[in-house]
Amino acid sequence: MDAAAASATAAAAAAANSYKQRKEDFVSGLSGGSAAEVNYVVAVGPIAFLLWSILQSRQSFFKPYTPLSFVVDFFLNVVASLLAITLYANTTPLLSGLILVPAIFLYALPPKPPGLRKKPKLPPNVPSQTTSGQLSTLSTKPFLTTYRGLMMIMTCLAILAVDFKLFPRRFAKVETWGTSLMDIGVGSFVFSAGVVGARPVLKERAEGRATPLAQRLIYSMRHSFPLLVLGVIRLLSVKGLDYAEHVTEYGVHWNFFFTLGFLPPFVALFQSALKYVPSYAALALIVAVLYQVVLESTELQPFILVGPRTDLFSKNREGICSFAGYLAIFLAGQDTGMYVLPRSITRSGSSASSQRNTLLLTMGVWTGIWAALYFLVTDYKLGAGVQVSRRLANLPYVLWIAAFNSANLLAVCVIDTVFFPGHYNAADARAEKEAYETATSPVLRAFNRNGLAIFLVANLLTGLVNMTVPTLDVGSVVTMAILVGYSAVLTVVAVGLDAWDISIKL
């Protein structure tokens, strides 16, 4: 019996090791796909939100927010993106067309008369200073909430979907050179954090004060500490549970939470450079270009890609060295926030619609600038011909992330401007809050509000699924059932936290 038991144990261990190796091989050595295809896939989100906006602005379908409203909201803003990366991965233009057809039909219908539309109610116990009085210098922009919500949803969906065969390998993170859907996800997460990271800087400028460097560092450390703790917890859980991991992604011990955790103090330090550098965009380019020069002119690039792992630094060289690129991405996002977040983009006393047109023009110009720089750096005929590398977070990767996110922000800003002009024409804070709630999907608003906490829940659920389900061996039906259930749980948690007015700041 003892020999038989030992043999069975050994066989089970061998099978577990074999499956773990299959999992690691499943996400290793990939070369990605085209950047254009990534755009087609991600465009499903804004197109689905376009249909949501038509339903809301012309039919008041989501006011009041009934269980049916929630189901439709969930299918439009979550399931549509899930379909784009699974069942419709090879035909995303078809999926976009299937969403656009009812959007065009509904837009052609006469809108519901204003008298039949139920006026949105403010939540109870809201402090009076947030619902009446003068408008603040910085406003909560509906299109920014939409952009961040869509980005967070796609990120959360991809981190579990990648473990199933239904998720195309070209969408998974590339090994070294190339572009993919998941490569855009990590960069977009950082860029998005940079956009909202401009808020305290703008508040300082509006109040005419400057926070000393030491105080900025202390404040940044308070933001860093929870993220670094999460990084340690993830490290210990991955090693302790013998979870399949892709070492060349960040290194042996490093993970994305460490990258996020070290960003705030470095951003605080680099803020002092604005005395000598005209903008955050210029600072981002300086950091990215200098990093690229070091990669190309020294042994750093071959060290990162093929060097031996002999000590703590070399074992985590991908995560440590790529930090320079992510810092540049954060700064590029912060520059975007400097003109997206303020209520007035110009100092003149122009009208609200004129301010919005100026904002759209500015966003369009910056999208063009980032895209042109990306083309010049990556094109083999007219440019430098440097390949994108998320593993290195090199200059082309930084420019790709900046161009991609600027374009997505512009797209949802156009939708917001066309269908919900009431927000930027609001005369007081109460009217603006009502207009904001009308113009934003409760699902997207909930994912945006507690984004990092939801991302943590998504990581925990991803680990749970992978430890209980042989994801490589299940069929399409089971895969979709698991992914829809997973996305539903995340959405219920997010919307529940928002309904209970709970904000979890990490």
Side-chain angles (χ1 to χ4, degrees), residues 204-252:
E204 281 187 15
R205 293 185 180 182
E207 296 168 2
R209 60 183 177 86
T211 305
L213 176 60
Q215 188 174 339
R216 285 205 308 269
L217 285 173
I218 293 173
Y219 179 78
S220 67
M221 292 297 182
R222 291 206 302 265
H223 283 271
S224 292
F225 184 72
L227 292 167
L228 296 176
V229 170
L230 289 175
V232 172
I233 292 173
R234 177 174 171 79
L235 169 64
L236 294 177
S237 61
V238 167
K239 301 299 181 183
L241 296 172
D242 197 28
Y243 192 72
E245 54 184 326
H246 191 191
V247 172
T248 57
E249 186 176 347
Y250 294 108
V252 176

Side-chain angles (χ1 to χ4, degrees), residues 290-302:
L290 288 177
Y291 174 51
Q292 185 66 34
V293 169
V294 173
L295 285 173
E296 299 283 354
S297 60
T298 69
E299 295 298 314
L300 182 60
Q301 183 166 298

Side-chain angles (χ1 to χ4, degrees), residues 141 338-340 342-348 350 354-363:
K141 304 290 181 66
M338 297 299 287
Y339 61 79
V340 164
R343 183 175 306 282
S344 300
I345 193 171
T346 61
R347 295 186 179 180
S348 61
S350 54
S354 177
Q355 291 284 353
R356 178 52 68 102
N357 291 336
T358 303
L359 174 60
L360 287 170
L361 179 62
T362 304
M363 295 173 72

Side-chain angles (χ1 to χ4, degrees), residues 196-384:
V196 296
R199 188 174 290 275
V201 180
L202 289 166
K203 283 185 177 180
E204 281 187 15
R205 293 185 180 182
E207 296 168 2
R209 60 183 177 86
T211 305
L213 176 60
Q215 188 174 339
R216 285 205 308 269
L217 285 173
I218 293 173
Y219 179 78
S220 67
M221 292 297 182
R222 291 206 302 265
H223 283 271
S224 292
F225 184 72
L227 292 167
L228 296 176
V229 170
L230 289 175
V232 172
I233 292 173
R234 177 174 171 79
L235 169 64
L236 294 177
S237 61
V238 167
K239 301 299 181 183
L241 296 172
D242 197 28
Y243 192 72
E245 54 184 326
H246 191 191
V247 172
T248 57
E249 186 176 347
Y250 294 108
V252 176
H253 309 101
W254 199 275
N255 57 61
F256 189 53
F257 287 109
F258 287 134
T259 297
L260 293 176
F262 283 111
L263 278 171
F266 276 87
V267 171
L269 286 171
F270 273 74
Q271 191 174 330
S272 302
L274 290 179
K275 297 176 182 178
Y276 314 100
V277 180
S279 67
Y280 283 105
L283 190 57
L285 285 172
I286 290 172
V287 172
V289 169
L290 288 177
Y291 174 51
Q292 185 66 34
V293 169
V294 173
L295 285 173
E296 299 283 354
S297 60
T298 69
E299 295 298 314
L300 182 60
Q301 183 166 298
F303 167 72
I304 296 173
L305 299 181
V306 297
R309 300 185 187 274
T310 56
D311 52 26
L312 189 62
F313 178 80
S314 62
K315 287 180 180 179
N316 298 283
R317 56 184 184 263
E318 291 91 349
I320 295 172
C321 296
S322 66
F323 180 80
Y326 287 111
L327 175 60
I329 291 171
F330 187 96
L331 294 170
Q334 204 162 14
D335 185 80
T336 303
M338 297 299 287
Y339 61 79
V340 164
L341 293 176
R343 183 175 306 282
S344 300
I345 193 171
T346 61
R347 295 186 179 180
S348 61
S350 54
S351 65
S353 60
S354 177
Q355 291 284 353
R356 178 52 68 102
N357 291 336
T358 303
L359 174 60
L360 287 170
L361 179 62
T362 304
M363 295 173 72
V365 169
W366 271 108
T367 300
I369 290 173
W370 291 120
L373 289 173
Y374 171 73
F375 174 81
L376 289 173
V377 170
T378 58
D379 188 76
Y380 283 98
K381 294 182 179 179
L382 302 176

Side-chain angles (χ1 to χ4, degrees), residues 79 90 125 127 205 222 253 262 276 282 311 329 384 402 416 423 434 448 453 462 489 506:
V79 176
N90 297 322
N125 304 320
R205 293 185 180 182
R222 291 206 302 265
H253 309 101
F262 283 111
Y276 314 100
D311 52 26
I329 291 171
D416 179 45
H423 179 268
E434 291 178 349
N448 171 64
T462 297
V489 170
L506 296 175

Side-chain angles (χ1 to χ4, degrees), residues 29-53:
L30 304 175
S31 56
S34 69
E37 186 180 27
V38 174
N39 294 336
Y40 296 147
V41 173
V42 177
V44 170
I47 290 172
F49 179 71
L50 172 65
L51 175 53
W52 185 96
S53 299

